[in-house]
Amino acid sequence: MLLHLLVLAPFVAAILMVATSKEDHRSSSRLAFLFGIAFVVMSILLIAGGNQATEAIEWFHIPGTRGSVYYYLYSHGLGAWMVFLSTVLSLTALVMARNTLSYNYRNFAIGIFALMGAMNGTFLAADAVLFFFFFEAMVIPAAVLIAGFGGDERKKAAMTFAIFTLVGSAPMMVSLWYLLTVADNSLLLSLAVALQNLDPSTQTALLASFLLAFLVKTPIFPFHGWQAITYAEAPAPLSAILTGAMSKAGVFGFIAWILPIFPLSMSAVDAMMWLGLLTAIYGALMALRATDGKKLLAYSSMGHLGLAVAGVFSLSEAMLPAVLVLLVAHGLSAGAQFYLMGIAERFAGTRDIEQLGGLASRNPVFSSLFGFLAVLSLAVPGTAGFVGEFTVLMSLWDMGPIPALAAGLCLILSASYVLRFVQKVIFGKPAREYEDGTRMTALEGSSIGIMGVLLLVFGMHPAFITNALQLFDEQAVEEMNRITHPEAAPATVESSVEHPAEVVDDVTVDENIAAVAQPMTEEDLRQLDSNLKANGFTDEERASLIAQLKSMSESEVADAHGDALESNEAKATEEASENE
């Protein structure tokens, strides 16, 4: 029930918001706050409840495919924490919009709840088609909110955002349809089995199409063309959600869909790791030269997510908890900074950091909170950002010293642009004369302050986050297997009852053993090495296992063929004796 509520109730809340007053934003905001608080409480219960799943309900059948599409929700630690980010950032966005977008608050709240429902569905869907539906559905409310509440170039930003993300996902849609023509259904286990039976070139094409969709959504260089203008022109409360929660859908896709389904070669893993590191360095350099405060934060977000993607494809034993802590820390810190930048723009009338300055004297409470969150985003010891970035750095060290040094350079550059950002916004003298705008309210400051406290709590005790990790437990795998092969167990029992005395021909069995027992090829060994590494085996353990397999493979195959030949000869001798 909890999973259904987190996915469907936000859409119900959006519908109910239509009944509120468009003119009286205070009454609309009170109802929106109640809904938002309820969803945050649900997300906390989801994390505390561990892995949960709904009953798989057959939804519909796509013409030309083999199996059905299921409405099936599943919550693991990664998805639950992403839902937490979605609900917390959405609630804070509703709080911030009360003073920033009071002229049409009701419609903004409708869009936020619709976006929350789509994000929650993306993070909780256990069916590939259902996942893709929500993955694309996120674009619609986000684009509408940008076009309706954004800056001067809001229509251009909304079109750019929609075109990039929808076109980037089109190859994934085609590939998913093709997979459904060979898979028993659209659940993860069935897709993974179907992929194993395809030729390598087809696997590579399907992998590329899935990767493209997630690379665009994150975004990763060079598929980032939509990000800067979208984050800059969107209203600050929405920008915080885009960077803090929605962008996580790409990284989530890599972990929850790419790694479990696709057999990755080491060349593909290395390429993705270096693409993530290149994005991290590029984002940091662009942030260093940015003068628009929101674009600076957009490039900063791009750099941190690039580092997360590099960590994902390090495939080390500590990868998953490291990346999860990094994602949670980035979602809270980047979201809080966007909220604060929106308040600064509202107060000073500009987001150009060259035109700001001196806010420490004119707005000391805001400036203190701004500096506090900036320090937390630097990943200093004792913060969640430090735990996430340091463990990702250690994961990359397993890939070699050069990737780790590249990641270390990103951390140094991030400190440079954050300190420059703080100096330009709150210190020095005002760059121009302006009349003070609306100041930060106590409710806004408290909401952002709570996010800062969470960063400290998770930094001191990251086990709050990592203890929830378990992607797919045995119960979930059994459920997927039951749906994929519903008659497997009964068929076995029936066969044993109807044919109790049936004996399988020994010659056939031996011939089958000889036919199956083939030596492992180099490609098989490379694939095995990749899988062992993904499951946490050290370099020495992998090398030892593969060496043993190489030495055993040819001898076992020869023995199998010899045994089959001897068995066949013995059988022929017995038959000749009986005939005589």
Side-chain angles (χ1 to χ4, degrees):
M1 179 59 72
L2 186 59
L3 298 176
H4 291 307
L5 286 175
L6 281 166
V7 173
L8 300 177
F11 295 108
V12 176
I15 295 172
L16 293 177
M17 287 300 300
V18 176
T20 62
S21 172
K22 183 178 180 181
E23 305 299 330
D24 185 6
H25 70 276
R26 293 192 176 276
S27 62
S28 299
S29 64
R30 284 193 289 269
L31 181 60
F33 291 171
L34 287 176
F35 285 140
I37 292 171
F39 294 135
V40 170
V41 172
M42 289 181 197
S43 68
I44 295 173
L45 293 175
L46 185 67
I47 295 171
N51 289 18
Q52 304 176 44
T54 64
E55 182 181 353
I57 303 172
E58 188 171 343
W59 192 9
F60 62 91
H61 184 86
I62 300 175
T65 60
R66 291 180 58 183
S68 299
V69 175
Y70 290 85
Y71 180 80
Y72 183 35
L73 304 177
Y74 181 76
S75 168
H76 42 66
L78 177 62
W81 276 103
M82 296 303 100
V83 169
F84 174 79
L85 288 179
S86 167
T87 56
V88 167
L89 292 172
S90 296
L91 173 60
T92 311
L94 293 169
V95 171
M96 309 302 293
R98 188 178 190 182
N99 293 310
T100 305
L101 304 169
S102 58
Y103 58 90
N104 202 351
Y105 183 89
R106 183 194 68 176
N107 290 351
F108 181 80
I110 292 171
I112 290 296
F113 285 126
L115 179 59
M116 183 200 298
M119 289 190 296
N120 291 354
T122 301
F123 297 131
L124 296 178
D127 180 281
V129 175
L130 185 64
F131 168 80
F132 184 79
F133 170 78
F134 285 121
F135 187 74
E136 293 299 278
M138 292 189 296
V139 178
I140 299 173
V144 170
L145 288 172
I146 295 169
F149 298 91
D152 295 336
E153 297 185 356
R154 58 185 180 273
K155 293 183 179 179
K156 178 182 177 182
M159 287 297 295
T160 303
F161 168 70
I163 291 172
F164 260 87
T165 51
L166 293 176
V167 172
S169 299
M172 178 180 173
M173 179 180 65
V174 177
S175 297
L176 184 56
W177 177 84
Y178 175 79
L179 271 176
L180 294 179
T181 63
V182 296
D184 293 326
N185 52 55
S186 50
L187 298 181
L188 184 143
L189 185 61
S190 179
L191 297 180
V193 172
L195 262 169
Q196 301 298 323
N197 298 323
L198 299 177
D199 60 87
S201 60
T202 304
Q203 290 181 2
T204 301
L206 296 174
L207 173 63
S209 65
F210 273 68
L211 286 175
L212 177 63
F214 299 142
L215 289 170
V216 171
K217 192 77 78 176
T218 302
I220 297 296
F221 179 89
F223 307 102
H224 66 288
W226 62 270
Q227 187 201 33
I229 185 173
T230 300
Y231 286 15
E233 295 301 321
L238 178 61
S239 297
I241 296 175
L242 294 179
T243 189
M246 185 175 172
S247 64
K248 305 299 185 293
V251 184
F252 176 86
F254 292 129
I255 299 174
W257 292 96
I258 295 291
L259 294 184
I261 293 179
F262 290 92
L264 298 176
S265 65
M266 287 309 298
S267 58
V269 170
D270 288 340
M272 288 300 301
M273 181 195 67
W274 281 108
L275 195 59
L277 289 173
L278 176 62
T279 301
I281 295 174
Y282 174 83
L285 292 174
M286 291 298 292
L288 269 174
R289 62 187 296 271
T291 57
D292 185 317
K294 290 172 75 175
K295 286 187 177 180
L296 185 152
L297 293 175
Y299 287 123
S300 170
S301 176
M302 180 181 172
H304 283 85
L305 292 175
L307 190 62
V309 171
V312 168
F313 287 94
S314 69
L315 299 182
S316 71
E317 185 178 359
M319 174 274 289
L320 192 54
V323 171
L324 177 57
V325 175
L326 177 59
L327 291 178
V328 174
H330 172 262
L332 293 173
S333 64
Q337 286 183 301
F338 265 105
Y339 293 134
L340 289 169
M341 190 63 220
I343 295 173
E345 182 181 4
R346 187 179 72 194
F347 179 78
T350 181
R351 60 175 186 260
D352 186 346
I353 61 175
E354 299 293 343
Q355 299 297 316
L356 291 169
L359 290 183
S361 57
R362 301 182 68 162
N363 200 341
V365 176
F366 164 81
S367 299
S368 299
L369 190 57
F370 189 95
F372 173 64
L373 265 299
V375 172
L376 294 182
S377 71
L378 286 175
V380 296
T383 65
F386 172 78
V387 176
E389 292 184 6
F390 183 77
T391 47
V392 166
L393 192 66
M394 296 301 294
S395 298
L396 290 171
W397 181 262
D398 293 339
M399 301 294 287
I402 297 179
L405 289 174
L409 175 62
C410 299
L411 302 184
I412 294 172
L413 292 175
S414 67
S416 301
Y417 64 70
V418 168
L419 293 176
R420 169 177 171 264
F421 186 40
V422 172
Q423 189 272 327
K424 291 285 187 180
V425 173
I426 64 176
F427 293 120
K429 296 181 179 180
R432 61 185 180 86
E433 294 295 329
Y434 58 88
E435 184 177 348
D436 292 355
T438 305
R439 293 176 177 269
M440 180 178 68
T441 65
L443 183 58
E444 292 173 337
S446 301
S447 302
I448 299 173
I450 290 173
M451 296 169 70
V453 171
L454 288 176
L455 287 170
L456 289 174
V457 171
F458 295 151
M460 296 294 182
H461 192 65
F464 282 135
I465 301 175
T466 58
N467 283 350
L469 269 178
Q470 190 177 8
L471 276 185
F472 295 101
D473 57 18
E474 293 181 4
Q475 183 178 357
V477 174
E478 289 175 0
E479 175 68 10
M480 293 181 189
N481 192 48
R482 183 190 65 79
I483 297 170
T484 303
H485 306 290
E487 299 178 356
T492 303
V493 175
E494 182 181 354
S495 175
S496 62
V497 172
E498 291 182 357
H499 309 285
E502 181 180 353
V503 178
V504 181
D505 188 81
D506 294 336
V507 177
T508 305
V509 173
D510 292 330
E511 288 176 349
N512 289 339
I513 294 174
V516 173
Q518 300 294 330
M520 296 184 73
T521 64
E522 289 298 325
E523 180 61 30
D524 294 333
L525 292 173
R526 283 194 297 270
Q527 181 59 52
L528 176 62
D529 182 69
S530 175
N531 293 336
L532 290 173
K533 186 172 184 180
N535 285 279
F537 284 81
T538 65
D539 293 341
E540 293 78 8
E541 291 171 338
R542 299 200 312 274
S544 175
L545 286 170
I546 290 174
Q548 293 178 36
L549 286 172
K550 283 183 177 180
S551 62
M552 293 170 58
S553 181
E554 294 184 2
S555 61
E556 286 186 352
V557 170
D559 291 343
H561 281 280
D563 292 342
L565 183 59
E566 291 176 4
S567 178
N568 292 344
E569 290 177 351
K571 186 67 177 179
T573 303
E574 290 177 6
E575 291 177 354
S577 300
E578 290 175 0
N579 292 335
E580 290 178 359

